[in-house]
Amino acid sequence: MAKCAFIGLGVMGYPMAGHLQKAGHDVTVYNRTSAKAEKWVSEFGGSSAPTPAEAAKGAEFVFSCVGNDDDLRSVMLGDGGMFAGMDKGSVLIDNTTASADVARELYAAAKDMGISFIDAPVSGGQAGAENGVLTVMCGGDQDAFDRAAPVIDAFAKSCKLMGESGSGQLTKMVNQICIAGLVQGLSEGVNFGVKAGLDMEKVLDVISKGAAGSWQMENRGSTMVENKFDFGFAVDWMRKDLGICLEESKRNGARLPVTALVDQFYAQVQERGGNRWDTSSLIDLLARG
Amino acid sequence: MAKCAFIGLGVMGYPMAGHLQKAGHDVTVYNRTSAKAEKWVSEFGGSSAPTPAEAAKGAEFVFSCVGNDDDLRSVMLGDGGMFAGMDKGSVLIDNTTASADVARELYAAAKDMGISFIDAPVSGGQAGAENGVLTVMCGGDQDAFDRAAPVIDAFAKSCKLMGESGSGQLTKMVNQICIAGLVQGLSEGVNFGVKAGLDMEKVLDVISKGAAGSWQMENRGSTMVENKFDFGFAVDWMRKDLGICLEESKRNGARLPVTALVDQFYAQVQERGGNRWDTSSLIDLLARG
Amino acid sequence: MAKCAFIGLGVMGYPMAGHLQKAGHDVTVYNRTSAKAEKWVSEFGGSSAPTPAEAAKGAEFVFSCVGNDDDLRSVMLGDGGMFAGMDKGSVLIDNTTASADVARELYAAAKDMGISFIDAPVSGGQAGAENGVLTVMCGGDQDAFDRAAPVIDAFAKSCKLMGESGSGQLTKMVNQICIAGLVQGLSEGVNFGVKAGLDMEKVLDVISKGAAGSWQMENRGSTMVENKFDFGFAVDWMRKDLGICLEESKRNGARLPVTALVDQFYAQVQERGGNRWDTSSLIDLLARG
Amino acid sequence: MAKCAFIGLGVMGYPMAGHLQKAGHDVTVYNRTSAKAEKWVSEFGGSSAPTPAEAAKGAEFVFSCVGNDDDLRSVMLGDGGMFAGMDKGSVLIDNTTASADVARELYAAAKDMGISFIDAPVSGGQAGAENGVLTVMCGGDQDAFDRAAPVIDAFAKSCKLMGESGSGQLTKMVNQICIAGLVQGLSEGVNFGVKAGLDMEKVLDVISKGAAGSWQMENRGSTMVENKFDFGFAVDWMRKDLGICLEESKRNGARLPVTALVDQFYAQVQERGGNRWDTSSLIDLLARG
Ligand SMILES: NC(=O)C1=CN([C@@H]2O[C@H](COP(=O)(O)OP(=O)(O)OC[C@H]3O[C@@H](n4cnc5c(N)ncnc54)[C@H](OP(=O)(O)O)[C@@H]3O)[C@@H](O)[C@H]2O)C=CC1
Ligand SMILES: NC(=O)C1=CN([C@@H]2O[C@H](COP(=O)(O)OP(=O)(O)OC[C@H]3O[C@@H](n4cnc5c(N)ncnc54)[C@H](OP(=O)(O)O)[C@@H]3O)[C@@H](O)[C@H]2O)C=CC1
Ligand SMILES: NC(=O)C1=CN([C@@H]2O[C@H](COP(=O)(O)OP(=O)(O)OC[C@H]3O[C@@H](n4cnc5c(N)ncnc54)[C@H](OP(=O)(O)O)[C@@H]3O)[C@@H](O)[C@H]2O)C=CC1
């Protein structure tokens, strides 16, 4: 069992850190809003620290799961940042969905200090985090991955090394791009069926096994028919992620016409107050003029 | 076992009629190009007739599977058409993907003649037809459906009555709409991954079980990476189907922004010579400028 | 001065027929709702008839300006239709915005009867019709055009033969396609400026002379800022016209990605009750979530 | 007559600085590639300096016209940068098309040093710069604008203060957004007309005065028909500008669906080698599959 630190106890980080502790690791947590760190310790044991640096001190594996690129830099760099506390030879596993650029930048900075940095964004949502069955997409060095993978397993159902530094983030981008167009298509299909007066439960049942089938159809089709979105993966996060994808696409030259368009549709969902709605809420733009 | 007729021995109709005969029914076929009818008889037995009317004569169940609305009217109506040959009390099962309008029009015309008309478009593609595992989406009257369903089962893995006349076609439209946006999203994701230099087999493997997963990703992801499209559901058929969806949407008021856009992208695939390519060929527009 | 007939006294036809009569021609009108025909006669003189056929009888030039393809066929063909009343050697000038197909179909039917058919859709709107300064885009035979042009001049500031039958309609399609994308771009620009807190009168004044300038910016910019749309060219007409363009594009292979998308946005304007709003109302979709 | 400096002698800056000198001002230029500065001095007189700081020394009005935000920061800040050389009370006029953010950032930095900063992007293109008839859109303080305007007039046909710092850039953004949708609509219209076999010179002549008319139609319509793009405003610049607009829209909440889509179409033009082609080259994507 290893000495670990976990920085960022949000919707995802809180249960992920919990799984590490429950798996027998010795976890020290840090959270900007300290009340959450205290709650975590009272629920799972382990301990908490007043800064990322102090949490990271002496840990073999240090995890982070914060909001975006800027958040990352602010918990990693500077006096009280993770890097300041970490030992040579330790491994930093970043579970934030962020840019490949920031991953490579932090990988290089870590390397200079003798630390291994793995970008390791996850998919599977809040439920996946709570049930410890996330998919973890890693980028970085093989040896660091080999050491970290058994620890990551505490909250993962699948954990793969996708390639060199940044590849975890790039894989997550592919994931998000696929979802944007898919959910818009699904929204148009479901809304069309509703407007056509079809019994949509029956329709979804019949078509979900075939060429139109998808995870989203099976897991969101019914709630879309009912215009229910108060759960799932928030539109605000989706827009942040699509922003990262669109930015990266300027560098690698991949065109994203429908993704760019759907990103603008998501902006309309936000305007309608849907910041925290599930990504399937695109259908709201079709259901209500 | 029933006396059946089958009109239209194309990629789909040929094996579908074959399954009926193999299931023990007594099938008479008609095909415009008679050579295909002769080949069918030599392969499956049964018999062929020189006109739809003569093929339909005396049959309890008459199937059709031709191209589009106009084709349908031309094999159904007029002197040598199916209606001219059919007996009162018989059931006409149309497996063509066509408009809900033509379905309702033919349903009414059939009713006047004491014939039951069921619109019964299918999904599952050429492979589904050959293996007799199509999904059949029906619209029409319950009693006619109840009589026809056991016969249809010869080539179906699932056969459901979706509602009144036209509902089969409307269900198929929902299916096609869902596919258009989904495949474009998938194309953008896969192409992005390729341009990012990721090992796409690994990526597809990791993400296909999660929220981005789909039948298309599992069954077309790898061939998309390799730019292979000489199989599957043809772009020409897809454009015909999306045309039907867009037309219907004017009536029911469902908006289809991305479907309309992707339909135009498919027009570009056609311009590149992709008329017979699989629908996953949308990625070609991204892979090659 | 010539003997004329005018079929269809709507927003456009009523003043157009008025200009013909005021120019000294002898005009007999027909309108489905006869009250409008009576009102017209009391305002302009001339006479009215109870059917298109009777209005057309003895006229050298017969004009029509109705809604769409179906309307056209219903006032032209059949017992009481225009064709039934027209003399050999007379000229039919159709000012309806309709398909090139129906133009060619009616041109051929007219030719068989010794009548010349000119498709002659107009632009310039209600104001252009009232002030007699429409732009008339003609398709048909040179000799018929040469005879008709001086008469058409009564309500035109420009009247050109664009080519063979159908070319007038095709030219009008080019016009409408250009407008759709332009107005959407303008909407996005104006709305952006409003959201950015700019003094939009000043902005429009500065940029309208340069590379972003357009008739729409000069004539609709200010009203768009104020969200005023109760005038101008109705969204319902625009959707009819874009439907014609999209249909024609299937034949000539011209791709219309943004036109197809904007057509769907117009469907949303309709859903918001904007059927009679000016085409510039696309901005409403951006101004209000 | 005033002592001036001009930093950045590119396609735009070179002739703009020339007009200042020709108007009687005393201009010192700086260009990174010094050969251009020497050529400029030999053509117009004035003098050149080895760094932006030295060029700016003693000048009452300092102009800059470089590429983008990063370029701006690099010529303004640091040891040899413009700020380092400028006197208290002098005015900095930046003609680069850049973000409103960088304008406000530099405005604030300048203010701290007692310098007035005016963001003053231009429109009118290379021809406008050469003929001294640019439109200049300014953001900043009234008094600084009042002092600078008569000097700017040397290369402007119109120069307006649009509002506080950043407003010049925001106005330019409105301009670029309007162009993107407009040019795509125009491309679809012109290409449709070509595919329909119309005589496009005639068509453009007829419709350019009406509701579809625009600067682009009048100035680019004919060259679009001929697929000629080796002139005008480069696609690379357009993408830079649209990137700025899309970035700003995240802050002000203005949605840009078609602008975002057209930006992706421009990426395809770049892929086809059109980096330096005029913005009207969008039609190439339609003309060639
Ligand atoms: N292919 C696929 O994967 C799928 C296809 N479909 C739908 O099934 C239908 C048939 O597709 P598919 O079998 O692939 O098409 P094919 O083109 O292979 O076959 C069309 C059949 O219809 C006949 N036909 C067409 N027009 C006429 C006419 N005017 N008069 C008489 N016969 C006519 C043809 O006769 P002839 O041999 O003389 O040309 C041929 O037998 C279509 O509606 C399609 O959209 C649905 C799901 C999957
Ligand atoms: N409004 C505008 O700004 C412009 C319109 N156009 C085009 O001009 C055409 C006419 O437009 P507008 O005048 O505004 O339309 P209106 O709706 O005002 O008028 C339509 C006219 O057509 C008649 N009509 C329609 N259907 C039939 C039918 N089946 N049988 C007999 N008469 C019929 C109507 O008769 P009734 O009075 O009995 O309803 C009415 O006289 C349209 O094609 C439109 O797209 C072109 C440019 C600008
Ligand atoms: N071209 C056009 O039609 C229009 C352009 N604009 C805008 O005007 C600006 C300039 O455009 P244009 O003149 O065409 O561009 P050019 O590429 O022709 O010129 C750019 C100029 O900036 C200098 N420069 C760029 N980066 C740096 C740097 N980091 N340090 C020092 N100097 C630098 C270049 O120096 P060097 O010579 O050494 O490369 C050159 O003098 C852009 O913002 C553009 O968007 C606006 C309207 C129209």
Side-chain angles (χ1 to χ4, degrees):
Chain A
M1 294 298 106
K3 200 163 153 23
C4 297
F6 206 110
I7 313 303
L9 301 174
V11 168
M12 300 297 286
Y14 191 97
M16 287 160 77
H19 282 289
L20 286 173
Q21 181 73 20
K22 283 192 285 183
H25 302 295
D26 174 12
V27 183
T28 303
V29 300
Y30 163 82
N31 195 66
R32 186 174 50 183
T33 310
S34 59
K36 275 197 227 164
E38 285 156 32
K39 181 160 175 275
W40 187 92
V41 172
S42 74
E43 185 172 344
F44 296 106
S47 54
S48 78
T51 64
E54 286 169 84
K57 196 152 288 172
E60 192 182 354
F61 300 100
V62 182
F63 293 81
S64 53
C65 191
V66 294
N68 57 29
D69 283 24
D70 288 346
D71 299 336
L72 257 187
R73 288 197 188 90
S74 95
V75 296
M76 298 245 172
L77 309 173
D79 262 11
M82 294 155 70
F83 280 4
M86 287 179 72
D87 291 341
K88 261 206 166 92
S90 61
V91 183
L92 202 166
I93 299 117
D94 177 37
N95 300 120
T96 309
T97 300
S99 70
D101 262 17
V102 82
R104 285 182 288 242
E105 171 193 327
L106 295 171
Y107 170 91
K111 191 158 201 170
D112 283 351
M113 304 172 64
I115 301 169
S116 296
F117 180 93
I118 298 173
D119 49 297
V122 302
S123 73
Q126 183 171 355
E130 286 166 359
N131 299 321
V133 293
L134 292 169
T135 295
V136 189
M137 300 156 264
C138 300
D141 297 337
Q142 184 75 47
D143 59 339
F145 174 79
D146 289 343
R147 284 169 57 205
V151 184
I152 295 174
D153 273 348
F155 55 73
K157 76 158 182 245
S158 153
C159 174
K160 291 267 166 61
L161 182 64
M162 307 308 299
E164 55 178 13
S165 179
S167 302
Q169 297 298 353
L170 291 168
T171 301
K172 174 82 185 190
M173 291 179 213
V174 173
N175 193 73
Q176 302 304 73
I177 294 168
C178 289
I179 290 175
L182 189 163
V183 171
Q184 177 64 22
L186 179 59
S187 296
E188 296 186 9
V190 169
N191 181 62
F192 179 97
V194 169
K195 292 263 157 73
L198 293 172
D199 176 341
M200 284 307 293
E201 285 309 316
K202 228 183 209 166
V203 170
L204 291 171
D205 190 54
V206 166
I207 69 178
S208 63
K209 300 295 174 292
S214 62
W215 185 97
Q216 297 283 341
M217 187 185 275
E218 277 184 63
N219 291 277
R220 296 289 183 266
S222 298
T223 45
M224 288 168 83
V225 172
E226 298 163 23
N227 254 43
K228 277 199 195 152
F229 316 115
D230 52 346
F231 60 88
F233 188 69
V235 165
D236 277 356
W237 282 143
M238 190 61 172
R239 282 214 80 199
K240 178 201 57 142
D241 293 358
L242 295 179
I244 292 171
C245 299
L246 288 162
E247 206 52 51
E248 180 67 28
S249 76
K250 288 188 197 166
R251 274 183 291 275
N252 69 20
R255 281 177 281 116
L256 300 172
V258 161
T259 306
L261 184 61
V262 171
D263 178 53
Q264 297 293 320
F265 291 168
Y266 276 124
Q268 190 165 4
V269 175
Q270 291 176 317
E271 247 181 273
R272 292 184 176 194
N275 302 63
R276 310 291 311 167
W277 294 350
D278 181 64
T279 43
S280 58
S281 54
L282 281 173
I283 198 175
D284 185 71
L285 302 179
L286 302 169
R288 299 189 298 144
Chain B
M1 294 298 108
K3 200 164 154 23
C4 297
F6 206 109
I7 313 303
L9 301 175
V11 168
M12 298 299 286
Y14 190 97
M16 288 160 76
H19 282 289
L20 285 173
Q21 181 73 17
K22 284 192 283 184
H25 301 295
D26 174 13
V27 183
T28 303
V29 299
Y30 163 83
N31 196 65
R32 185 176 52 184
T33 310
S34 58
K36 278 196 226 165
E38 285 155 32
K39 178 158 178 277
W40 188 92
V41 172
S42 74
E43 183 171 347
F44 296 105
S47 55
S48 77
T51 65
E54 286 168 85
K57 196 153 286 170
E60 192 182 353
F61 300 100
V62 182
F63 293 81
S64 53
C65 189
V66 293
N68 58 29
D69 282 26
D70 287 346
D71 299 336
L72 256 187
R73 287 197 188 89
S74 94
V75 297
M76 298 243 171
L77 309 174
D79 263 13
M82 294 155 69
F83 280 3
M86 286 179 74
D87 291 341
K88 261 205 166 92
S90 61
V91 183
L92 200 165
I93 298 116
D94 176 37
N95 299 121
T96 310
T97 300
S99 71
D101 262 16
V102 82
R104 285 182 289 243
E105 173 193 326
L106 294 171
Y107 170 90
K111 191 160 202 170
D112 283 350
M113 304 172 66
I115 300 168
S116 296
F117 181 93
I118 297 173
D119 49 297
V122 302
S123 72
Q126 182 171 354
E130 286 166 358
N131 299 321
V133 292
L134 293 169
T135 296
V136 189
M137 300 156 265
C138 300
D141 297 335
Q142 184 75 49
D143 58 339
F145 173 80
D146 289 343
R147 283 169 58 205
V151 184
I152 295 174
D153 273 348
F155 55 72
K157 77 157 182 245
S158 153
C159 174
K160 290 267 164 61
L161 183 64
M162 307 308 299
E164 54 179 12
S165 178
S167 302
Q169 296 298 354
L170 291 168
T171 301
K172 174 83 184 189
M173 290 179 212
V174 173
N175 194 73
Q176 303 303 74
I177 293 169
C178 289
I179 290 175
L182 190 163
V183 172
Q184 176 64 22
L186 179 58
S187 296
E188 297 186 8
V190 170
N191 181 62
F192 179 98
V194 170
K195 292 260 157 76
L198 293 172
D199 176 341
M200 284 308 292
E201 284 310 316
K202 227 183 209 169
V203 171
L204 292 170
D205 189 54
V206 166
I207 70 178
S208 65
K209 299 296 175 292
S214 62
W215 184 98
Q216 297 283 341
M217 187 185 277
E218 276 182 64
N219 292 277
R220 298 287 183 267
S222 298
T223 45
M224 288 167 83
V225 172
E226 298 162 23
N227 254 44
K228 276 200 196 151
F229 315 116
D230 52 345
F231 59 88
F233 187 68
V235 165
D236 277 356
W237 279 148
M238 190 61 172
R239 283 214 78 199
K240 176 198 60 135
D241 293 358
L242 295 180
I244 292 171
C245 298
L246 288 162
E247 206 51 52
E248 180 67 27
S249 77
K250 288 189 197 166
R251 276 184 289 276
N252 69 21
R255 281 177 280 117
L256 300 172
V258 162
T259 306
L261 184 62
V262 172
D263 178 53
Q264 296 293 320
F265 292 168
Y266 275 125
Q268 191 166 3
V269 176
Q270 291 177 317
E271 248 180 273
R272 292 184 176 194
N275 302 63
R276 310 291 311 167
W277 294 351
D278 182 62
T279 43
S280 58
S281 54
L282 280 173
I283 198 175
D284 184 71
L285 302 179
L286 303 169
R288 299 189 298 143
Chain C
M1 294 299 105
K3 200 163 153 24
C4 297
F6 206 109
I7 313 303
L9 302 174
V11 167
M12 299 298 285
Y14 190 97
M16 287 160 77
H19 282 291
L20 285 173
Q21 181 73 17
K22 283 192 284 184
H25 300 297
D26 175 12
V27 183
T28 302
V29 299
Y30 162 82
N31 197 65
R32 184 176 55 183
T33 311
S34 59
K36 277 196 225 166
E38 285 156 31
K39 180 159 176 276
W40 188 91
V41 171
S42 74
E43 185 172 343
F44 296 106
S47 54
S48 78
T51 64
E54 286 169 84
K57 194 153 289 170
E60 192 182 352
F61 300 101
V62 182
F63 292 83
S64 53
C65 190
V66 294
N68 58 29
D69 282 26
D70 287 345
D71 299 336
L72 257 187
R73 288 198 188 89
S74 96
V75 296
M76 299 246 169
L77 309 173
D79 263 12
M82 293 156 70
F83 279 5
M86 286 179 73
D87 291 342
K88 262 208 165 91
S90 61
V91 183
L92 202 165
I93 300 115
D94 177 36
N95 300 121
T96 309
T97 301
S99 70
D101 262 16
V102 82
R104 286 182 288 242
E105 171 193 327
L106 294 171
Y107 170 89
K111 192 159 201 170
D112 284 349
M113 305 173 63
I115 300 168
S116 296
F117 180 93
I118 298 173
D119 50 297
V122 302
S123 72
Q126 183 171 355
E130 286 167 358
N131 299 320
V133 293
L134 293 169
T135 296
V136 189
M137 299 155 266
C138 300
D141 297 337
Q142 184 75 49
D143 59 338
F145 173 79
D146 289 342
R147 282 168 59 205
V151 183
I152 295 173
D153 273 347
F155 55 73
K157 77 157 182 245
S158 153
C159 174
K160 290 267 165 61
L161 183 64
M162 307 308 299
E164 55 180 11
S165 179
S167 302
Q169 296 299 353
L170 291 169
T171 301
K172 174 82 186 189
M173 290 179 214
V174 173
N175 195 72
Q176 303 303 75
I177 293 169
C178 289
I179 290 175
L182 189 163
V183 172
Q184 177 63 22
L186 180 58
S187 296
E188 295 186 9
V190 169
N191 181 63
F192 179 98
V194 169
K195 292 262 157 74
L198 294 172
D199 176 340
M200 283 307 293
E201 284 310 316
K202 228 182 207 168
V203 171
L204 291 171
D205 190 54
V206 166
I207 69 177
S208 63
K209 300 295 175 292
S214 62
W215 185 98
Q216 297 284 341
M217 187 184 276
E218 276 183 63
N219 292 276
R220 298 288 184 264
S222 298
T223 45
M224 288 167 83
V225 172
E226 298 163 21
N227 255 44
K228 276 199 195 153
F229 315 116
D230 52 345
F231 59 87
F233 186 68
V235 165
D236 278 355
W237 280 148
M238 190 61 172
R239 284 213 78 199
K240 176 198 58 131
D241 293 359
L242 295 180
I244 292 171
C245 298
L246 288 162
E247 207 52 50
E248 180 68 27
S249 76
K250 287 188 199 166
R251 275 183 289 276
N252 69 21
R255 281 176 280 117
L256 301 172
V258 162
T259 306
L261 184 62
V262 171
D263 178 52
Q264 297 292 320
F265 291 168
Y266 275 125
Q268 190 166 5
V269 176
Q270 290 177 318
E271 248 181 273
R272 292 184 176 194
N275 303 62
R276 309 291 310 169
W277 294 352
D278 182 63
T279 42
S280 57
S281 54
L282 280 173
I283 198 175
D284 185 70
L285 302 180
L286 302 169
R288 299 189 298 143
Chain D
M1 295 299 104
K3 200 165 155 18
C4 297
F6 207 109
I7 314 303
L9 301 175
V11 168
M12 298 298 285
Y14 191 98
M16 288 160 76
H19 282 290
L20 285 172
Q21 181 75 17
K22 283 192 284 182
H25 300 296
D26 175 11
V27 183
T28 303
V29 299
Y30 164 81
N31 196 65
R32 184 176 51 182
T33 311
S34 58
K36 277 196 225 164
E38 285 155 33
K39 179 159 178 275
W40 187 92
V41 171
S42 74
E43 183 172 347
F44 296 105
S47 53
S48 76
T51 64
E54 286 170 85
K57 196 153 288 173
E60 192 182 353
F61 300 101
V62 183
F63 293 82
S64 53
C65 189
V66 294
N68 57 30
D69 282 26
D70 287 346
D71 299 336
L72 256 186
R73 287 196 189 90
S74 95
V75 296
M76 299 244 171
L77 309 174
D79 263 11
M82 294 156 70
F83 279 4
M86 286 179 73
D87 291 340
K88 262 208 164 91
S90 62
V91 183
L92 202 166
I93 299 116
D94 176 37
N95 300 120
T96 310
T97 301
S99 71
D101 262 17
V102 82
R104 285 182 289 242
E105 172 192 326
L106 294 172
Y107 170 91
K111 192 159 200 172
D112 283 350
M113 304 172 65
I115 300 168
S116 296
F117 181 93
I118 298 173
D119 49 296
V122 302
S123 73
Q126 182 171 355
E130 286 167 358
N131 299 320
V133 293
L134 292 169
T135 296
V136 189
M137 300 156 267
C138 301
D141 297 337
Q142 184 74 49
D143 58 339
F145 173 80
D146 289 342
R147 282 168 59 205
V151 184
I152 295 173
D153 273 347
F155 55 72
K157 76 158 183 245
S158 153
C159 173
K160 291 268 164 61
L161 182 65
M162 307 308 298
E164 55 179 13
S165 179
S167 302
Q169 297 298 354
L170 291 167
T171 301
K172 174 82 185 189
M173 290 179 212
V174 172
N175 194 74
Q176 303 304 73
I177 294 168
C178 288
I179 289 175
L182 190 162
V183 171
Q184 176 64 22
L186 180 57
S187 297
E188 296 186 9
V190 169
N191 181 61
F192 178 98
V194 169
K195 292 261 157 76
L198 293 172
D199 176 341
M200 284 308 293
E201 284 309 315
K202 228 183 208 168
V203 170
L204 291 171
D205 189 54
V206 166
I207 70 178
S208 65
K209 299 295 175 294
S214 63
W215 185 97
Q216 298 283 341
M217 186 184 278
E218 277 184 63
N219 292 277
R220 297 287 184 266
S222 299
T223 44
M224 288 167 83
V225 172
E226 299 162 24
N227 254 42
K228 277 200 195 150
F229 315 115
D230 52 346
F231 60 88
F233 187 69
V235 164
D236 277 355
W237 280 149
M238 190 61 173
R239 283 214 79 199
K240 174 198 60 136
D241 293 359
L242 294 180
I244 292 172
C245 298
L246 288 162
E247 207 50 53
E248 180 68 27
S249 77
K250 288 189 197 165
R251 276 184 289 275
N252 69 23
R255 280 177 281 119
L256 301 172
V258 162
T259 305
L261 184 61
V262 171
D263 178 53
Q264 297 293 319
F265 292 168
Y266 275 124
Q268 191 167 4
V269 176
Q270 291 177 318
E271 248 180 274
R272 292 184 176 195
N275 303 62
R276 309 292 310 168
W277 294 352
D278 182 63
T279 43
S280 57
S281 53
L282 280 173
I283 198 175
D284 184 71
L285 303 179
L286 302 169
R288 299 188 298 143

